[in-house]
Amino acid sequence: MTKRALITGVTGQDGAYLSQLLLARGYEVHGLLRRSASADVIAERLRWLGIQDQVKLLDGNLTDISSLIRVLNECAPDEVYNLGAQSFVKASWNQPLLTGQVTAMGAANLLEAVRLVRPQARFYQASSSEMYGMIQETVQNERTPFYPRSPYAVSKLYAHWLTVNYRESFAMHASSGILFNHESPLRGIEFVTRKVTDGVARIKLGLATELSMGNLDATRDWGHARDYVKGMWLMLQQEVPDDYVLATGRTTSVREFCRLAFAHVGLDYEEYVKVDPAFLRPAEVDVLHGDAAKARQVLGWAPETSLEAMIGEMVEADLARHGARMKG
Ligand code: NDP
Ligand code: GDR
């Protein structure tokens, strides 16, 4: 029997890689698509992976439960992956209510719609290491207390606990993946890693002379999105639903990330990177460092891509993108 999956956030970084993984495993993949005036660019990431014609896009929005009920009735999924969110932390201070409506209440809408329409479906919630915020333990795992530091993180915390609550209240197969930062050539341009690799490519090709950055001392546990979507899928293949941290166990500063990315093209980051206070945040998450021992033991999951390999892949992809644009 062909399994059917519904992915919210299918047009985002993780949605694209997860679609690719599920298609390769023989799934019928449905994606929730929010209406946009720029219809020509909506499936850009799916197109990049060459799978735009294989994913069935269904019109809907996480803030509109009626659309979720319709979509669940239409595609009758066996697995539901809730990846849709206002996911940019910095933007969440400028749009705290929208962030709450999409990232927190959107998850509530979807959980409730699944409970009403498709309670047998397995549910994945995209929780985040941002929930640890002002860290309470040097290395964070599933038992580490949370201390969110942004409207985004507060919203994710609500969605996380609601997922746990629906599992405990209604015996739903609902799992939450507490994922540390994961990146790729498909990462949105405003996130720090892609901003840096795009900046490196532009400087290398003579299209820019400097790169303005925020807090260079923040450290993150960065992995590759392709490895992390496999962990999401593995969580839903377990008999018993549960929560899992996915992380590499290595933490690196933004400054070191810059050094590595510029060094990939033979440049010294110190000559190009400037600090601009406009990119600082009202409250910062200084350090994140994850412990994915439980995922390793129970799911058999382990990250496969090193930070250096990922940076190389991202810089090369941005060089190719800008190179192609320059040719015309
Ligand atoms: P992206 O920002 O790339 O993708 C977000 C997706 O959510 C997009 O498809 C976007 O659609 C969609 N979306 C936004 N608002 C709505 C809405 N109102 N209704 C329906 N869909 C909506 O995020 P990532 O792929 O990086 O992350 C996936 C999920 O995992 C997110 O929930 C994120 O918060 C979470 N997460 C990500 C981590 C990471 O390091 N990448 C780490 C931990 C958690 P559109 O294309 O139209 O904008
Ligand atoms: P984050 O990712 O907030 O961790 O959330 P982001 O890449 O935006 O920031 C990481 C760190 O880099 C510092 N930083 C900068 N960040 C950006 N965007 N731009 C800059 O110029 C810059 N300079 C320094 C930030 O201050 C921060 O400390 C991501 C998102 O994908 C969330 O959705 C997800 O939940 C978490 O990762 C885990």
Side-chain angles (χ1 to χ4, degrees), residues 192-204:
V192 74
T193 56
R194 181 74 204 294
K195 178 175 168 179
V196 171
T197 61
D198 177 75
V200 165
R202 284 188 297 111
I203 289 169
K204 183 69 182 174

Side-chain angles (χ1 to χ4, degrees), residues 205-217:
L205 295 172
L207 298 169
T209 53
E210 62 177 47
L211 180 61
S212 296
M213 302 285 301
N215 178 12
L216 298 178
D217 296 320

Side-chain angles (χ1 to χ4, degrees), residues 8-15 32-34 36 42 45 60-63 82-88 102-103 125-129 152 156 177-183 186-188 191 232:
T8 74
V10 75
T11 53
Q13 169 187 261
D14 292 6
L32 186 78
L33 181 71
R34 64 169 172 162
S36 159
I42 47 176
R45 293 185 173 95
N61 197 299
L62 281 168
T63 58
N82 185 29
L83 311 185
Q86 189 305 91
S87 73
F88 188 37
V102 178
T103 306
Q125 171 59 25
S127 289
S128 165
S129 54
Y152 165 82
K156 279 288 179 191
I178 306 171
L179 270 50
F180 283 63
N181 299 52
H182 45 279
E183 320 293 315
L186 299 185
R187 185 57 140 153
F191 298 95
M232 297 176 186

Side-chain angles (χ1 to χ4, degrees), residues 290-320:
D291 168 12
K294 180 177 171 186
R296 204 165 41 245
Q297 280 152 22
V298 182
L299 307 176
W301 179 87
E304 288 167 22
T305 318
S306 71
L307 181 67
E308 288 75 9
M310 184 180 76
I311 290 175
E313 185 188 341
M314 291 176 71
V315 172
E316 292 301 326
D318 280 318
L319 283 168

Side-chain angles (χ1 to χ4, degrees), residues 7-53:
I7 304 174
T8 74
V10 75
T11 53
Q13 169 187 261
D14 292 6
Y17 282 112
L18 180 63
S19 297
Q20 185 182 50
L21 177 141
L22 295 176
L23 287 167
R25 288 175 192 269
Y27 278 68
E28 189 178 302
V29 179
H30 299 258
L32 186 78
L33 181 71
R34 64 169 172 162
R35 196 257 159 197
S36 159
S38 314
D40 49 336
V41 292
I42 47 176
E44 201 183 352
R45 293 185 173 95
L46 298 174
R47 208 169 293 139
W48 171 281
L49 297 177
I51 55 172
Q52 72 278 15
D53 297 330

